[in-house]
């Protein structure tokens, strides 16, 4: 029996949790996900917590059912190889800091020139513009800024409390995977791709 997303290819340029969770959900549903990592370091979650054979439990859990490819996208030859993959892809997901993807030649405009119906997904911490756009993002910061820590505390008077799991990261992954599913359905009906932009902060505020 065919899986839901058989024949759909996703290029995964993400690292850490929110992006890999996005593509993990689609990989579990049958999509062909190619995870592209930088040489030497790769996804930072490879090195967290307890490791076996050079991989942490977090990395294995968030990247199961994916294929792996190493490309140094700052190398022109590797960029050419990536652009060749774009021709075969349906979806591209990246969670670079805003502006980085465009600067290194893997942004939405460059990819759409190669394949005009591509579904391109940009995940950020605090949005594409604004005073926080270029700041580093961590799950506890989003919990605090969104008001989630106050909700967890139980009242405005009590000391804020963190949710003891990386809820903003995971929520963003679920929201992004649903948006990709909707965009694929839209493309099936109209033949046009979309640029999906979502931030961890917006996702948690919407959830609350």
């Amino acid at each position: 029996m065919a899986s839901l997303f058989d024949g759909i290819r996703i290029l995964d340029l993400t690292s850490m949790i929110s992006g890999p969770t996005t593509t993990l959900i689609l990989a579990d549903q049958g999509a062909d996900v190619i995870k592209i990592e930088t040489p030497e370091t790769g996804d930072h979650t490879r090195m967290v917590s307890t490791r076996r054979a050079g991989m942490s439990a977090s990395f294995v859990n968030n990247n199961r059912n994916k294929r792996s490819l190493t490309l140094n996208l700052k190398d022109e030859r590797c960029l050419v190889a990536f652009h060749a993959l774009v021709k075969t892809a349906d979806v591209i997901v990246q969670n670079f800091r805003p502006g980085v993807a465009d600067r290194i030649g893997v942004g939405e405009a460059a990819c759409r020139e190669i394949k005009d119906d591509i579904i391109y997904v940009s995940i950020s911490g605090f949005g594409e513009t604004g005073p926080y756009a270029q700041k580093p993002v961590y799950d506890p910061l989003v919990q605090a800024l969104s008001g989630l820590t106050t909700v967890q505390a139980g009242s405005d008077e009590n000391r804020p409390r963190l949710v003891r799991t990386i809820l903003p990261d995971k929520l963003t992954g679920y929201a992004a995977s649903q948006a990709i599913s909707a965009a694929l359905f839209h493309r099936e009906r109209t033949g046009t791709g979309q640029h999906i932009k979502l931030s961890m902060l917006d996702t948690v505020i919407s959830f609350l």
Side-chain angles (χ1 to χ4, degrees), residues 77-90:
R77 295 166 300 174
C78 292
L79 189 59
V80 169
F82 174 77
H83 287 164
L85 279 173
V86 171
K87 294 177 183 178
T88 73
D90 299 283

Side-chain angles (χ1 to χ4, degrees), residues 37-47:
E37 298 179 75
T38 57
E40 298 179 1
T41 56
D43 189 326
H44 299 298
T45 59
R46 283 181 178 272
M47 305 305 294

Side-chain angles (χ1 to χ4, degrees), residues 2 10 17 20 31 59 67 84-85 99-100 107 124 138 149 151 166 183 200:
I10 299 172
I17 305 298
F59 175 83
R67 296 194 286 163
L85 279 173
V100 171
S124 63
Y138 301 98
T149 52
V151 173
I166 45 178
M200 289 172 61

Side-chain angles (χ1 to χ4, degrees), residues 96-150:
F96 296 116
R97 197 172 296 184
V100 171
D102 290 328
R103 188 164 66 247
I104 64 176
V106 299
E108 189 257 350
C111 292
R112 198 165 301 286
E113 277 190 19
I114 298 166
K115 192 166 189 213
D116 63 2
D117 66 347
I118 200 79
I119 293 162
Y120 192 93
V121 184
S122 301
I123 298 173
S124 63
F126 305 113
E128 301 276 318
T129 59
Y132 291 97
Q134 295 299 320
K135 292 186 179 296
V137 60
Y138 301 98
D139 195 274
L141 294 178
V142 177
Q143 289 198 38
L145 283 169
S146 65
L148 180 58
T149 52
T150 300

